Amino acid sequence: MTGTSGSPVLEVDDLAVQFTRRGEQPTRAVDGVSFSVAPGETIGLVGESGCGKSVTSLAIMGLLPQRGVQVTGSVRLDGTELLGAGPRTLRTLRGKDMAMVFQDPLSSLNPTVTVGTQVTEVLAEHRDMTGRAAQDEATELLDRVGIPDPRRRLGEYPHQLSGGMRQRALIAMALACSPRLLIADEPTTALDVTIQAQILELLRELVQGSGTALVMITHDLGVVAGLCDRVHVMYAGRVIETADRRPLFATPRHPYTGGLLGSVPRLDTGRGTPLTPIRGSARDTIPWSQGCAFAPRCDNAEDDCLTEVSGSTVPLEADGLRRELRCRHPLHATPAAAGAPAGATAASSAGASAGSPSTGSSSWSSSEGQQS
Amino acid sequence: MLRFIVRRLLQLIPILLGLSLLLFAWLRALPGGPAQAALGERATPAKIAEYNETFGLNESIVVQYLKFLGRAVQLDFGTSTRTGRPVLDEFLDRFPGTIELTVAALVFAIVIGIPLGYVAARRHGGVVDNTAIIASLLGVTIPVFFLAYLLRLLFAVQLGWLPGSGRQDVRIDATHITNFYVLDGLLTREFDASWDAVLHLVLPGIALGTIPLAIIVRITRAAVLDVVNEDYVRTANAKGLSTSVVRRRHVVRNALLPVSTTIGLQTGLLLSGAVLTETVFAFGGVGSALRQAISDRDYSLLQGFILILAVVYVLVNLLVDISYGLLDPRVRTR
Ligand SMILES: Nc1ncnc2c1ncn2[C@@H]1O[C@H](COP(=O)(O)OP(=O)(O)OP(=O)(O)O)[C@@H](O)[C@H]1O
Ligand code: SF4
Ligand SMILES: [Mg+2]
């Protein structure tokens, strides 16, 4: 989880996705998204429903529909540009160098094909394994993701497996070729709470030490706390705050991030402490061209958050060491917090917004069992 | 699965009872009763009385029905008034022809319908798609009778490319073992007879196959459009599988589930007698016999044929349900 050295596996640069439907205004589902993931690193893409997390991941994988979609910017996998690469090239990379696990394990598996075939077809495609060898390898893979009696399960159909086992099977398929990059799009949302924790633990184990870069997509900060090294918070298609996990939890600077943290129960806040959900809903938004999209829901909003007054869109700017922020009136706006290393600010100013943590990160890690 | 089949067979009993009751009542309700219907309008009262005596029509209606039922259970449907032969024999003579015609129509509909439906779906909104939609709309709206007549006029009468009547050229002295003419030719190694029978199936097969074709195109198209948006197809693509594997194993296999049900249901309908098509092409199957029986007032034949066809229809539908269970593992392994 901490081996974040070497050149990045994935570099996303200024990624934008625009949907054009006939007779409708084009919509920018994703705009100016940039991030990178190093080998062995786990990053989180966090945000409410509809903020563009899935579209971002599908754009990286080249799985967006061809028609009515414009993708611009740059996506590089181990230095190879993927945007504009031919469908054939992408097919050879998908499943082999980059793999993906989806949200709903039941609908993500073909109901009329055995689990075994759905595992071995990856081996046949990318590793030229067929027959006995493929069967053995598939058994091995299912065993590795913790499916009991794997050989029998190979002959079964998805509906005969439990929800957790289905997700394990999908993870097995994704990891069949030891990909350089794994994208997990809300892999636990459709599962029971206890199973969620097991699946996250499994992902962490499998990724740890294998050098696979993991992009964890979630709206659940508990998942982030237990798993991610670095977090990118998205709102209305843009990244609004980026930071390493500890400083982010200790001193969230964007009001939206602060709101997310404040709306989730934490172990270290007493039972009586009221949760403070972000007011309004994700639909109460304004286009980024007219100002900060979060302004309609923001407690810190002032006139200059709107473009007419400030004369420019709210930019994403460096905010201390390895931090970026898109906000004109951030939380923790003390001079000390702005410039000092993130770790140092944690103790001094954490209490200001998100409850009263002593050391934000440790309490978050321990709350993982409940959240995830 | 066995329990399912038994249950379905048991369900068949009330259906057939109801149908037999209807047919029975219908025959009694004919003007002048079955005697006059059979003997004609100018039958003398004496003849009618004699007829009623021989066919037990003087007994109470309940007894008559029970006797009719008892005979039907033993596959005795009486004799055809026109030919004097047992109705069952008449049926068995003619049913193979109808089966051959049904197969021809289905082959035509499936071989064209499934690929066309697939392409229409993949080129959604394109030329092929729009043409297919319009054509399939035409296919179901054009009266079969009209289409059959047109095909015959053009390709048989005007151009003379294909035979336009009968099941086989009368000049071919073919041996008939099973009454499946195509099969007979193969069995007796009279291949020219087989081929001639096949040629005789082309035009009626096309005429009869247009409605199933139109339906199959539409169902296939809709099914493929549904399936390509399924999460598991996205998963298959995310795994980097080749387009042919994605198409075959993940799209087509699932899209064919609803299509196969449709085909099965169509089979049941086609087997129940293509009266119009068979009549236009003077095709010696069950359908033309039904029409003949109507104009001859051959009521016992009508009654018997309809009852047998109903059983066939219900059995085919049962087969469809069973095979759906076999095709879909979610049902099979429940
Ligand atoms: N095929 C499409 N055509 C048009 N708009 C789309 C399409 N797919 C997604 N969008 C839009 O893009 C935006 C982002 O969607 P996305 O699925 O990425 O959200 P998300 O962050 O993954 O949300 P969730 O948590 O619900 O999965 C949404 O507003 C959605 O309406
Ligand atoms: S830019 Fe303004 S409106 Fe947007 S989050 Fe910051 S303070 Fe709130
Ligand atoms: Mg999503």
Side-chain angles (χ1 to χ4, degrees), chain A residues 208-359:
Chain A
Q208 219 164 35
S210 71
T212 298
L214 175 61
V215 175
M216 189 73 200
I217 292 176
T218 180
H219 57 257
D220 184 345
L221 281 170
V223 171
V224 174
L227 211 60
C228 301
D229 304 314
R230 196 165 165 75
V231 187
H232 304 266
V233 185
M234 288 181 71
Y235 192 81
R238 295 196 184 202
V239 173
I240 48 101
E241 183 163 15
T242 291
D244 289 343
R245 175 187 35 143
R246 282 162 187 268
L248 184 88
F249 280 100
T251 51
R253 302 221 61 215
H254 197 283
Y256 176 64
T257 316
L260 282 181
L261 287 169
S263 61
V264 183
R266 301 175 60 157
L267 277 191
D268 53 358
T269 53
R271 274 193 164 256
T273 318
L275 298 176
T276 45
I278 308 170
R279 62 187 162 88
S281 80
R283 272 163 309 180
D284 305 326
T285 175
I286 58 172
W288 285 105
S289 57
Q290 288 171 28
C292 174
F294 188 59
R297 304 169 69 188
C298 181
D299 289 332
N300 284 21
E302 287 178 31
D303 285 351
D304 64 344
C305 298
L306 300 178
T307 317
E308 306 95 83
V309 184
S310 61
S312 68
T313 38
V314 188
L316 186 67
E317 288 172 320
D319 172 44
L321 199 64
R322 285 173 58 78
R323 288 192 76 150
E324 281 172 305
L325 178 66
R326 191 191 294 277
C327 180
R328 292 199 198 280
H329 307 284
L331 308 171
H332 307 293
T334 54
T345 46
S348 62
S349 56
S353 78
S356 55
S358 46
T359 51

Side-chain angles (χ1 to χ4, degrees), chain A:
Chain A
M1 221 168 95
T2 42
T4 59
S5 56
S7 56
V9 174
L10 176 73
E11 291 164 280
V12 176
D13 207 3
D14 201 19
L15 181 72
V17 179
Q18 179 164 310
F19 291 100
T20 337
R21 284 230 187 94
R22 237 196 300 181
E24 274 178 46
Q25 283 285 92
T27 50
R28 286 203 155 231
V30 171
D31 204 356
V33 168
S34 304
F35 60 87
S36 69
V37 202
E41 189 186 26
T42 297
I43 68 146
L45 279 188
V46 186
E48 281 169 309
S49 183
C51 71
K53 308 180 297 286
S54 294
V55 171
T56 303
S57 60
L58 294 175
I60 294 168
M61 296 285 291
L63 288 174
L64 286 169
Q66 243 113 60
R67 275 198 268 175
V69 183
Q70 282 136 278
V71 184
T72 53
S74 162
V75 174
R76 285 185 303 279
L77 183 72
D78 278 323
T80 313
E81 179 62 52
L82 299 186
L83 293 192
R88 279 193 171 209
T89 317
L90 286 174
R91 273 184 201 284
T92 57
L93 293 174
R94 281 200 294 259
K96 182 160 164 279
D97 295 325
M98 55 178 179
M100 192 159 171
V101 177
F102 297 96
Q103 176 172 342
D104 183 352
L106 181 57
S107 68
S108 297
L109 287 165
N110 187 336
T112 60
V113 175
T114 59
V115 173
T117 305
Q118 296 189 61
V119 178
T120 51
E121 63 185 359
V122 190
L123 302 172
E125 188 71 43
H126 300 296
R127 290 171 65 183
D128 282 326
M129 286 175 100
T130 49
R132 249 245 107 73
Q135 289 291 322
D136 290 344
E137 178 69 16
T139 312
E140 171 87 34
L141 280 164
L142 289 195
D143 191 46
R144 217 170 76 199
V145 296
I147 293 182
D149 199 358
R151 189 154 294 270
R152 180 167 66 89
R153 293 299 180 186
L154 286 182
E156 294 193 338
Y157 290 91
H159 71 274
Q160 294 170 292
L161 271 56
S162 70
M165 257 197 272
R166 286 179 203 132
Q167 195 59 292
R168 286 172 194 270
L170 275 160
I171 292 172
M173 293 167 205
L175 295 178
C177 302
S178 314
R180 301 273 296 143
L181 169 71
L182 176 65
I183 302 179
D185 188 353
E186 313 216 21
T188 58
T189 324
L191 303 175
D192 291 343
V193 180
T194 45
I195 312 289
Q196 290 186 1
Q198 293 172 12
I199 294 289
L200 290 177
E201 188 53 37
L202 172 70
L203 278 174
R204 180 163 50 193
E205 276 170 22
L206 291 172
V207 165
Q208 219 164 35
S210 71
T212 298
L214 175 61
V215 175
M216 189 73 200
I217 292 176
T218 180
H219 57 257
D220 184 345
L221 281 170
V223 171
V224 174
L227 211 60
C228 301
D229 304 314
R230 196 165 165 75
V231 187
H232 304 266
V233 185
M234 288 181 71
Y235 192 81
R238 295 196 184 202
V239 173
I240 48 101
E241 183 163 15
T242 291
D244 289 343
R245 175 187 35 143
R246 282 162 187 268
L248 184 88
F249 280 100
T251 51
R253 302 221 61 215
H254 197 283
Y256 176 64
T257 316
L260 282 181
L261 287 169
S263 61
V264 183
R266 301 175 60 157
L267 277 191
D268 53 358
T269 53
R271 274 193 164 256
T273 318
L275 298 176
T276 45
I278 308 170
R279 62 187 162 88
S281 80
R283 272 163 309 180
D284 305 326
T285 175
I286 58 172
W288 285 105
S289 57
Q290 288 171 28
C292 174
F294 188 59
R297 304 169 69 188
C298 181
D299 289 332
N300 284 21
E302 287 178 31
D303 285 351
D304 64 344
C305 298
L306 300 178
T307 317
E308 306 95 83
V309 184
S310 61
S312 68
T313 38
V314 188
L316 186 67
E317 288 172 320
D319 172 44
L321 199 64
R322 285 173 58 78
R323 288 192 76 150
E324 281 172 305
L325 178 66
R326 191 191 294 277
C327 180
R328 292 199 198 280
H329 307 284
L331 308 171
H332 307 293
T334 54
T345 46
S348 62
S349 56
S353 78
S356 55
S358 46
T359 51
S361 53
S362 66
S363 65
W364 271 99
S365 302
S366 58
S367 71
E368 178 206 353
Q370 281 201 334
Q371 305 303 326
S372 48

